[in-house]
Amino acid sequence: MIRDEQRRILGEAAEWLATLHSGDVDDADRSCCRDWRRADPRHERAYRKMENLWRRFEGLGSDGGAATSTLNAVLGARRRQRLRGGGALAVVLLVGASASLLSLPFAPLDLLADYRSATGEQRHVALPDGSELVLNSGTAVDLDYSAGERRVRLRHGELLARVAPDRGRPFVVESAAGTARALGTEYTVRIREDGMDVVVTESSVEVCAAPPTASAAHHGRAHCAAAVAGQRARVRGDRVSAPQAVDTALETAWVKQRLVADDRPLSEVLKELRRYRSGVLHYDDKALSNIRVSGVFPLDDTDRALDLLAALAPIQVRHYTGLLTLISPR
Amino acid sequence: MGAESYYRNEAVKVLYSHHHGWLMGWLRKKLGCSQRAADMAQDTFLRVLTSHADLNAVKEPRAYLTTIAGRLIIDDARRKKVEHLYLETWSALHGNDVAPSSQSLVEVVELLTAVARLLEGLPEKPRRAFLMSRLEGRSHGEIAKALGVSVSMIKKYVARALLHCLDLLDEDQR
């Protein structure tokens, strides 16, 4: 009897967790969930248990779908033997053939990072000092807060920092390429294949390149530049470019899950969409080189974004399972 | 060392001195290799030492040990399979030029093996729904489309997968 009751509560807790991660949850759902947790201490215990279980899977899935495919292959092995030669196996080989033509962005498996977002996921992180981070798709950061400094290490990806003012404790975002230091401001930092970009939306930020050698660091010879609101500074190698005016609304549209294209080459837009999709998005740069597009595309539903592109541009979008999407001129 | 872990150590010592030789023989017959049998026997006792099971309640020590050792053998085989498949999928997705670092590979394979064990026995649709939701962060709407079922079904699938995992974890504690 008691076991049945316990089982029912755990089932409800599991459904709440599923709902909260359904991708379609509103304030009413959240407040119902809170009410349910408060209604009975056993509810709260069950919820905590489920939440811990949910966290166990952290660290998997930020590898472009390799973890999911592996698990489906291992667990579906018995069924697959009958279908050998067709279905999933053939697709994986096809992906292998086409993937070698691309250089996909390398997504290290940052299992030990303090905060991570999966591919296609956007995550808000409330920091202990009242600052806030928004992590873009496929991003990993570590926190290093001390009495004298608030340091956020960006392992890879892109983030927006809304910094709570604290004169005594500078706020620094650091990547392998350099640092961006602020006192009470809002800015984004994005790691690029060849460096780091910093876009400032409020106040100002000091951007410094990582010193090329330890001895240069020792002598304090890092190359720095100050960027103010409305500017972008780029770190390439051991230099910081002179900050340039950019449209910050456009640069930070990803925070609102939007990609804004204003007469941009289609291949650039597709390259950007790739960051938000697990699986492979394949296209031939040259075949698409003459096509330009303008529009606003949803980043939280890249299938829809591709549908929109197909409606705007003379292209064909073909899906092969969830893993592979081919784009070709029509 | 706390009293509890002291008694646990003593209980394991007794188990070890009475049954280690026998377990080695059992494993050798099963694996056909004395080196692997010795490793596996070590792992088995390590698992006993770090488990939360009440050793005083173990009535059939040899059955208890072979259950754990059997599980380890299955895990070991699964780990190899997971590693092989993961590397295959990885190079299919990322090409052969970039390999996962060996450090993260070990961690991922370990995690995947544990997850594979948790999800085993779960029917295909709930399992796929759960993986798409939890690992790929896809919305229930998208998953429903991919699996050809209703959106409300996805919530049930995900919840069912969670309960399934919890049951297996609880079993481990016993």
Side-chain angles (χ1 to χ4, degrees):
Chain A
M1 189 63 186
I2 291 171
R3 278 191 69 85
D4 285 353
E5 175 80 354
Q6 179 62 9
R7 189 89 195 147
R8 185 182 59 74
I9 293 174
L10 282 170
E12 285 176 4
E15 291 208 352
W16 276 120
L17 223 68
T19 303
L20 293 183
H21 293 93
S22 67
D24 180 29
V25 52
D26 54 26
D27 287 343
D29 288 328
R30 285 196 197 90
S31 109
C32 281
C33 177
R34 267 197 300 276
D35 289 347
W36 180 82
R37 286 168 64 180
R38 283 194 197 124
D40 186 330
R42 288 175 305 172
H43 291 183
E44 179 66 21
R45 270 199 300 278
Y47 184 84
R48 290 263 170 86
K49 212 168 177 178
M50 280 300 163
E51 214 175 24
N52 280 333
L53 177 61
W54 189 264
R55 252 185 248 125
R56 274 182 178 248
F57 300 89
E58 199 97 340
L60 293 172
S62 57
D63 50 6
T68 319
S69 314
T70 303
L71 285 169
N72 279 325
V74 171
L75 292 165
R78 224 171 297 136
R79 167 189 299 271
R80 260 267 291 290
Q81 264 157 11
R82 267 190 289 131
L83 301 172
R84 191 166 282 280
L89 196 63
V91 169
V92 169
L93 293 174
L94 177 58
V95 172
S98 57
S100 60
L101 304 171
L102 316 165
S103 66
L104 283 170
F106 176 54
L109 304 149
D110 290 292
L111 293 170
L112 302 173
D114 290 341
Y115 298 99
R116 281 186 303 276
S117 57
T119 301
E121 182 193 19
Q122 181 176 109
R123 197 162 164 194
H124 290 249
V125 179
L127 298 176
D129 62 319
S131 298
E132 189 198 359
L133 298 179
V134 185
L135 307 185
N136 201 355
S137 170
T139 297
V141 298
D142 293 320
L143 284 196
D144 187 1
Y145 270 41
S146 64
E149 191 185 65
R150 297 168 285 173
R151 191 168 280 254
V152 173
R153 292 204 168 81
L154 179 59
R155 293 189 180 204
H156 62 89
E158 181 174 25
L159 61 77
L160 173 109
R162 290 196 184 102
V163 183
D166 183 347
R167 286 198 176 283
R169 277 209 302 173
F171 187 97
V172 182
V173 176
E174 175 194 291
S175 79
T179 56
R181 176 185 307 262
L183 283 162
T185 187
E186 181 180 294
Y187 59 113
T188 68
V189 180
R190 173 173 178 181
I191 293 187
R192 295 285 190 169
E193 282 136 54
D194 52 352
M196 173 175 104
D197 288 358
V198 178
V199 173
V200 184
T201 50
E202 257 180 50
S203 180
S204 64
V205 175
E206 184 192 39
V207 182
C208 294
T213 60
S215 86
H218 184 70
H219 293 101
R221 281 196 313 238
H223 188 250
C224 298
V228 297
Q231 288 186 327
R232 175 178 63 201
R234 302 191 123 149
V235 180
R236 295 293 182 271
D238 57 357
R239 311 288 297 173
V240 184
S241 67
Q244 282 186 322
V246 289
D247 182 345
T248 56
L250 217 121
E251 297 284 328
T252 60
W254 64 265
V255 179
K256 295 187 179 122
Q257 304 274 27
R258 292 285 176 270
L259 171 65
V260 182
D262 185 9
D263 191 31
R264 271 176 87 179
L266 175 65
S267 58
E268 254 182 60
V269 173
L270 289 173
K271 192 176 174 196
E272 198 62 26
L273 281 179
R274 250 190 205 155
R275 294 171 65 199
Y276 301 86
R277 277 179 83 81
S278 36
V280 170
L281 181 62
H282 181 65
Y283 54 89
D284 182 356
D285 263 336
K286 276 194 213 111
L288 304 178
S289 61
N290 295 325
I291 307 175
R292 301 181 78 86
V293 288
S294 298
V296 179
F297 307 97
L299 291 174
D300 51 354
D301 185 350
T302 53
D303 277 343
R304 219 180 102 65
L306 290 175
D307 288 346
L308 280 171
L309 279 172
L312 290 170
I315 55 164
Q316 197 181 18
V317 179
R318 279 172 298 170
H319 298 281
Y320 297 90
T321 78
L323 263 186
L324 175 67
T325 305
L326 293 184
I327 312 263
S328 50
R330 203 159 41 207
Chain B
M1 192 191 294
E4 202 177 303
S5 55
Y6 172 79
Y7 287 118
R8 170 161 289 276
N9 266 342
E10 289 304 301
V12 174
K13 255 191 226 165
V14 172
L15 260 185
Y16 191 93
S17 60
H18 285 81
H19 307 293
H20 180 259
W22 177 86
L23 182 67
M24 278 281 288
W26 185 84
L27 282 165
R28 209 166 21 233
K29 230 184 279 165
K30 224 171 159 58
L31 300 170
C33 162
S34 13
Q35 185 56 51
R36 278 197 66 208
D39 287 349
M40 219 40 117
Q42 278 308 315
D43 285 352
T44 305
F45 280 99
L46 192 69
R47 191 61 67 94
V48 174
L49 199 60
T50 53
S51 82
H52 298 284
D54 178 10
L55 293 180
N56 293 318
V58 173
K59 295 280 177 286
E60 298 285 343
R62 290 188 175 177
Y64 175 67
L65 289 174
T66 49
T67 306
I68 295 177
R71 239 187 243 166
L72 287 176
I73 292 172
I74 295 171
D75 276 357
D76 198 45
R78 189 164 16 216
R79 187 175 298 115
K80 288 204 179 80
K81 202 163 159 191
V82 163
E83 183 173 338
H84 173 77
L85 280 166
Y86 185 77
L87 284 173
E88 204 173 64
T89 325
W90 173 279
S91 60
L93 288 171
H94 302 272
N96 290 318
D97 305 338
V98 268
S101 77
S102 60
Q103 166 78 17
S104 62
L105 179 67
V106 169
E107 285 169 15
V108 167
V109 167
E110 207 51 49
L111 255 169
L112 283 174
T113 308
V115 169
R117 199 158 92 68
L118 283 182
L119 295 177
E120 197 173 51
L122 194 65
E124 188 183 349
K125 280 196 176 173
R127 185 225 310 154
R128 290 188 50 190
F130 178 72
L131 290 176
M132 282 193 235
S133 169
R134 181 60 187 97
L135 267 53
E136 295 175 16
R138 299 226 233 158
S139 75
H140 285 192
E142 282 176 276
I143 302 170
K145 228 190 273 166
L147 297 183
V149 297
S150 69
V151 176
S152 61
M153 201 61 213
I154 302 300
K155 181 170 90 173
K156 295 208 173 69
Y157 280 162
V158 173
R160 180 171 169 192
L162 284 170
L163 279 177
H164 178 89
C165 293
L166 201 66
D167 285 344
L168 279 175
L169 285 169
D170 283 347
E171 219 169 83
D172 279 0
Q173 299 293 308
R174 257 175 256 141

